[in-house]
Amino acid sequence: MNDSRIRDVVIVGGGTAGWMAAAALSATMGEQLSIRLIESDAIGTVGVGEATIPAIRLFNGLVGIDENAFLRATGGTFKLGIEFAGWGREGESYMHAFGQIGQSLDLIEFWQYWLRGRKEGVAEPLGQYSFNESVAREGRFARVPRIPNTELDGISYAFHFDAGRYARFLREIAEANGVARTEGTIAAVTRNAESGHVGSVSLADGSVISGELFIDCSGFRGLLIEQELATGYDDWTAWLPCDRAVAVPTANAGPPRPYTQSIARQAGWQWRIPLQHRTGNGHVFCSDYLSEDEATRILLDNLEGPPLAEPRTIPFKTGMRRKAWNGNVVALGLASGFLEPLESTSIHLIQNGIAKLISHFPDRGFHPANTAAYNRRVAYDYERIRDFIILHYHLNQRDEPFWRRCREMAIPDTLREKIELFRATGRVFREQEELFVEIGWFQVLTGQNLVPETYHPLADVLSREELTQFLADIRTIVASNAARLPAHGDFIAQTCASPVQPAAAGARS
Ligand code: FAD
């Protein structure tokens, strides 16, 4: 028995990050740990964050969530990708759809044949070869792991859900696993004079909660990691200048789309996230170019259904904490950094931080090499996702001053090298554990109208007739199988309809 094992874990914050951490740690290490979560009703949560990527299914599996029960509890819908409208030029649209596209052949990816086909005028738009995009554009959905009788992957999906309800759902799981919850506002933090580690937190009512490992999920304020430990923050606004979002829920105007919409606006972009009982809407914008009133007006002018609440503005600063783990404090969620929700990556970064924390789980010695390795890995994840998001802004052909600035700005070397490689060779490679795989990069690079100078030479092995036939076959398989699936709304009604009623005007759910 190792007597330097950590026993007492304190999670500060009960937003998505806090309850995800509580549910995952209690499901995996609950027998060894005593876990306490502190949340403040007076402070509340950020109250946004509704779109995810497919890896969330791994997290839900880890904590033992039944998918249909989760969708019923959170008013959730299925998500097959993100549509980017007007991001290259006004009037254009492309999709970053999840999952593979087409079928690789003779060692090279499908898209190399598509690049050649496009050059020779025998290829249709990329989305017609993507099962996910074809199903999404038709408003359909079913759980299809493979396209029957073919070598082609089926549907890869994530979810849209009500984040507040997700946190409550996770709370039930965590409490059933033995997590203790304390409601109250932390007013003071005490540190060990010798180690500098956080020893306890005191609540406004005078009670004191001590622990060995503290997980800071206190949101943008970073109560422990920043306010107490002054860890520092790397500011990335030079590359991602948007610094505010105005958000408003609306009633649904029709059946829910099985994808997120991201629509470029004059100095930012608008999201639409369809849930079963309402639609989440927001406008991410740059305050150097647009006032809050103008940004709100643009959002309100572009809603599909009536608003259910007053619009509210959320300021943010894009970047990340210099160290996500400092001493005996590990920051997760908004306390660790912020990347705008363009590719729905924040909840994923929470999940990723939790998974890495479990794999680097410390003892009371808090070996600095372990902490440093965790920080390196988390920073790598943040930086690569940051690059992917910058890519959308940088490769635009729009006319407004904000977009010109994004086009002309210097970008990180890591991204510049990736763009140059693609421009010259049509190749893109996933490096180390970076989140977005090649086909994701490819969809955005081509969707933003970057046409590479060439493609892989092996794509020339097929004759022109063979190439034409190969592309046509994939397209036919994709289209015919997509057309067979039920409407997204019907699938939800049959499998996971939520009892959650549409919110009344003025309410926030
Ligand atoms: P919060 O929700 O802010 O929770 C902080 C918790 O700490 C609360 O419980 C609070 O009460 C507690 N707390 C704070 N101070 C104290 C104190 N002194 N004492 C006690 N308790 C305290 N992510 C996605 O993955 N997809 C999206 O589509 C998406 N959209 C977003 C849109 C916008 C505009 C923004 C700003 C974020 C978006 N995100 C999205 C990010 C997502 O909202 C967050 O990652 C997620 O909600 C996690 O938040 P959190 O738990 O870190 O912080």
Side-chain angles (χ1 to χ4, degrees):
M1 180 66 121
N2 175 357
D3 65 5
S4 67
R5 277 192 199 179
I6 283 182
R7 300 272 176 217
D8 289 321
V9 175
V10 177
I11 299 172
V12 173
T16 313
W19 284 114
M20 282 178 76
L25 285 178
S26 61
T28 52
M29 302 183 70
E31 290 188 4
Q32 291 149 39
L33 300 175
S34 153
I35 304 172
R36 176 168 296 279
L37 183 145
I38 306 166
E39 63 180 325
S40 161
D41 289 346
I43 292 177
T45 64
V46 70
V48 275
E50 305 184 319
T52 57
I53 60 174
I56 184 95
R57 293 170 57 205
L58 297 175
F59 179 86
N60 285 351
L62 178 80
V63 299
I65 286 177
D66 172 84
E67 195 168 288
N68 287 338
F70 145 76
L71 288 162
R72 273 193 290 274
T74 61
T77 63
F78 295 92
K79 171 178 171 182
L80 301 175
I82 306 173
E83 180 193 39
F84 292 95
W87 278 80
R89 297 183 199 96
E90 191 69 56
E92 293 178 350
S93 142
Y94 71 92
M95 198 175 272
H96 172 195
F98 304 136
Q100 283 307 319
I101 297 186
Q103 183 187 342
S104 50
L105 196 66
D106 291 338
L107 297 179
I108 57 166
E109 306 89 349
F110 171 81
W111 81 69
Q112 297 293 345
Y113 297 97
W114 181 81
L115 282 175
R116 178 183 157 204
R118 188 171 66 166
K119 204 166 190 171
E120 298 184 10
V122 297
E124 298 298 332
L126 184 65
Q128 296 189 17
Y129 304 90
S130 157
F131 192 45
N132 258 54
E133 178 162 348
S134 301
V135 171
R137 296 267 185 207
E138 290 203 21
R140 300 177 186 275
F141 181 79
R143 295 182 176 109
V144 183
R146 293 205 76 74
I147 301 185
N149 309 317
T150 72
E151 298 291 308
L152 298 183
D153 287 350
I155 286 179
S156 171
Y157 63 92
F159 312 104
H160 306 116
F161 55 71
D162 183 317
R165 289 175 194 274
Y166 185 51
R168 290 199 281 281
F169 188 74
L170 292 173
R171 175 179 160 187
E172 278 174 30
I173 294 172
E175 288 187 322
N177 290 343
V179 172
R181 169 184 180 266
T182 300
E183 199 289 312
T185 302
I186 295 171
V189 180
T190 306
R191 287 162 71 179
N192 180 300
E194 206 178 310
S195 64
H197 285 185
V198 171
S200 63
V201 292
S202 309
L203 306 186
D205 67 6
S207 53
V208 175
I209 295 171
S210 51
E212 294 161 323
L213 171 67
F214 285 78
I215 304 182
D216 186 349
C217 301
S218 63
F220 284 127
R221 70 194 67 219
L223 190 71
L224 303 180
I225 196 82
E226 196 59 51
Q227 291 187 3
E228 180 60 31
L229 299 177
T231 302
Y233 194 79
D234 284 331
D235 180 344
W236 290 339
T237 42
W239 295 314
L240 291 167
C242 288
D243 57 357
R244 279 168 176 60
V246 52
V248 68
T250 54
N252 286 341
R257 294 181 183 93
Y259 57 92
T260 306
Q261 286 177 290
S262 164
I263 305 158
R265 300 289 177 212
Q266 69 187 68
W269 60 279
Q270 177 186 348
W271 79 74
R272 287 197 192 121
I273 300 180
L275 310 183
Q276 291 186 42
H277 54 297
R278 62 171 169 80
T279 297
N281 307 272
H283 182 190
V284 171
F285 65 99
C286 177
S287 63
D288 291 350
Y289 297 88
L290 214 56
S291 71
E292 225 168 280
D293 285 350
E294 287 170 311
T296 305
R297 184 187 45 75
I298 290 170
L299 179 62
L300 294 178
D301 285 351
N302 289 286
L303 298 174
E304 292 181 313
L308 296 171
E310 285 301 312
R312 69 194 176 100
T313 302
I314 306 152
F316 56 77
K317 188 194 282 183
T318 296
M320 70 170 292
R321 213 61 72 194
R322 295 225 166 91
K323 292 187 252 174
W325 182 340
N326 188 356
N328 67 336
V329 173
V330 178
L332 293 174
L334 300 173
S336 69
F338 183 73
L339 285 165
E340 58 176 85
L342 188 60
E343 284 282 352
S344 317
T345 44
S346 288
I347 291 175
H348 177 76
L349 280 164
I350 299 170
Q351 164 181 353
N352 187 51
I354 295 168
K356 289 192 165 73
L357 173 59
I358 292 172
S359 89
H360 287 258
F361 202 82
D363 61 22
R364 288 203 301 271
F366 287 96
H367 199 289
N370 184 42
T371 309
Y374 175 91
N375 283 333
R376 261 198 317 278
R377 293 178 71 199
V378 167
Y380 186 85
D381 296 332
Y382 259 94
E383 285 165 10
R384 292 309 162 116
I385 294 172
R386 173 203 68 195
D387 284 2
F388 191 55
I389 295 175
I390 297 171
L391 174 71
H392 300 62
Y393 281 101
H394 183 59
L395 288 186
N396 81 82
Q397 300 93 55
R398 294 178 65 100
D399 286 332
E400 299 96 329
F402 167 80
W403 291 98
R404 277 203 298 278
R405 165 175 165 183
C406 294
R407 191 161 59 239
E408 287 160 10
M409 71 188 171
I411 55 174
D413 288 345
T414 39
L415 175 59
R416 193 178 38 73
E417 284 159 15
K418 225 163 187 152
I419 294 174
E420 279 172 10
L421 176 69
F422 182 74
R423 195 193 303 276
T425 69
R427 314 295 150 79
V428 56
F429 298 102
R430 181 182 186 204
E431 290 181 28
Q432 298 183 43
E433 295 175 335
E434 75 177 301
L435 174 63
F436 289 103
V437 295
E438 287 90 341
I439 192 62
W441 281 87
F442 182 77
Q443 288 175 86
V444 176
L445 285 158
T446 52
Q448 298 283 147
N449 299 314
L450 180 59
V451 179
E453 286 159 23
T454 184
Y455 51 82
H456 197 291
L458 276 176
D460 280 330
V461 168
L462 297 185
S463 69
R464 187 181 157 88
E465 291 67 36
E466 287 169 331
L467 175 71
T468 308
Q469 193 59 50
F470 174 59
L471 292 173
D473 287 349
I474 302 268
R475 218 173 124 241
T476 306
I477 292 170
V478 163
S480 58
N481 281 279
R484 278 193 204 120
L485 301 186
H488 179 223
D490 292 346
F491 185 85
I492 290 173
Q494 281 153 22
T495 58
C496 53
S498 173
V500 177
Q501 293 302 308
R508 263 179 63 195
S509 66

